[in-house]
Each structure stands twice: as structure tokens, then as C-alpha cells.
Amino acid sequence: MFKHMNNNYVIGADIGGSHITAALINLSNGEVAADCKFKEPVDAGAGAEDILARWTACIARTLAAAGKEVAAIGIAMPGPFDYPGGISLIKGVAKYESLYGMNIRETLAASLGFRSGIYFENDASCFALGEAWAGEGKGCSRMVAVTLGTGLGGTFLQDNVILHEGKGIPPEGYIYHLPYKGGIAEDYISSRWLLNGYHQRRGQRLAEVKDLADLAEQQDATALALFAELGNSLGEVLAPWLGDFAAERLVIGGNIRKAHPFFLAPLEAYLRDNGIATTVHISGRGENSALSGAAWICSTHLNNNNAR
């Protein structure tokens, strides 16, 4: 197996609701080393020992494939989480609750025997950083990235730096909790809303958004209407912020992005009709952007350490 030079590479990992993916990332360009990328299924409702054993196994496999010691490990982690401290605060969301209060950094370092840095950042933020570095946001100064899936993630970036406050930045830099239609944005822009909407209108409960997209492909009127409404809602929620932030690009990721033929036109029409010049881009990198973004976090810490 090809052996990678350790001074140019770190490990990036992405923690999902049902799996972990880990890969070796090239720090010169954010690219994922295809021969050093592995995925492990994880039961998010399992006990802490089982979850951590699977995370450890996947990262250890990647480290072994790299062939050399790497400088750091970056992990894209869903919240709530104490990212600087490495402590899980996940509770009340039906996933990874057995890890609540645990120091994940110390636990992984011990189980991996890894003596270099392990760094964490929000998974949606890692996606945004990866897109800005090596994806649809490359070369863009002011970018907003949105992940559409079981929840609604949003990140505002300026020159590859995550912003949590300032002109055009919503509270804490997030969009899921923005007030919308008597609730919050995530209530109306998520896989949950799409699937519940189809059930309410047609009396049929679908298993996943792909099923709804298949129906839309077959010109099912209800499926088409739901995706159009989602695109319009996303435009309504984002337009004021995109305008105030003067965003050059909006990059969309998450599993729902695969259904973009059915919601992209309504989204773009809403933005255009409201004088928003931001261009909309659909991510083609998938989880590779979260992996690259996790590596970007490593490079930031490594550069800061070297500057001291």
C-alpha cells in the first residue's frame, strides 16, 4: 500500500447518526486519500463502550493504512458538544446519549494510543470549511453553507473563518432555530417535515426522503409540491441574512441535496425575486467535505502551535 508522508497529512473523521467515516487528508489541498478512507456502522443508541469501540476501530484502521504517524486527528461531531474541551453534551436527541459528560478526546487518545492532538468541531461547520477549502466555495470570500437532512445546519464563513456574530450573522451563527411560521426554521426545512407532510396529505408514511424524491421523479404532485415548498421556505429563511451578509455563494449539502432538481428552482426564484444576488451551489463532495473540514481544523491548530 502507498505510504503517505506524515508531515503533509492528518486524519479527518465524520461522526454521523449511524456511522463513522475516517480518512487521511492531504493538508496541501484538502483532498481525501482514497486508499485510506474507511467507514464503520454505529448504533447511536448503544452503550458508550460499544460506540467508542467502533469509533476507535475505524480511526485505528485509517491510521494503520497511512503507514506513518500523522500529526493530528480532526473530528466533525454533531452537537451539543464542548468542542474545545472534547466533552460530549449530547442529550435529549435520541443519539449518542450514553456519551453524555464523557471526555471523548481523552478516551480516544487512550484507546488509540495517540499522543498528538485530537480536535473537534461542529459537523455542519466542518462541511462548510471543507467546501470553502476544496469544494463549491473554493476561492470565495463570503460563503454560507447549509446542510439539509434530519436537521437544518448553517454556517457563515469569511475567508475560511467561521463567524458567530457580526453584520448579517444570525444568533450564534446558526439558522435552525430562527423563528419561522410560528415555530423554528428546522420545523419546516428538514426530512422530518417532508415525510410528515406526505403522510398528512396522502395518508402514506414513507421511510426516507429518497422515497419522496422517487415519487417526485414520477411526477407525483404531492411530492413535487412538498419539495417546492421546502425550497421556498429555505429562501424565506435565508434571504435577509444572505443579503445583509453580502454572501457570494450559498452551498447546499446534506442528504436532501440529492433531491435538488425538485427544490432548487423555487429557492433560486425566491432569492432572485427578493433582490438577493447570492449564487446557489449543490455540493458534489458529500461527506468528503466534512472530512476535509475536520482536517482544516487540525491545520489551524497545528499552525497556531507552531507559531508559539
Side-chain angles (χ1 to χ4, degrees), residues 14 127 131 253-254 257 283-291:
D14 180 32
F127 165 76
E131 284 293 325
R257 84 183 192 286
S283 171
R285 301 184 81 235
E287 70 179 353
N288 277 359
S289 279
L291 296 170

Side-chain angles (χ1 to χ4, degrees), residues 103-119:
N103 190 312
I104 307 302
R105 174 181 289 118
E106 290 181 356
T107 304
L108 286 178
S111 60
L112 290 166
F114 191 76
R115 297 180 180 178
S116 300
I118 299 177
Y119 306 105

Side-chain angles (χ1 to χ4, degrees), residues 193-274:
W193 180 82
L194 287 169
L195 297 176
N196 286 344
Y198 197 82
H199 181 245
Q200 291 165 4
R201 299 180 194 190
R202 295 291 292 272
Q204 180 183 357
R205 188 165 292 283
L206 303 175
E208 56 185 357
V209 172
K210 183 182 182 302
D211 298 331
L212 190 67
D214 289 343
L215 289 170
E217 185 72 39
Q218 298 161 24
Q219 298 301 300
D220 180 284
T222 303
L224 289 169
L226 285 165
F227 280 120
E229 288 174 39
L230 180 136
N232 194 75
S233 294
L234 185 59
E236 280 191 89
V237 168
L238 288 176
W241 305 101
L242 294 175
D244 286 348
F245 182 59
E248 300 164 44
R249 297 179 198 172
L250 168 65
V251 180
I252 297 177
N255 283 333
I256 296 177
R257 84 183 192 286
K258 298 173 185 175
H260 70 270
F262 311 115
F263 69 77
L264 182 57
L267 166 61
E268 291 181 321
Y270 186 92
L271 296 179
R272 183 174 59 250
D273 292 347
N274 286 274

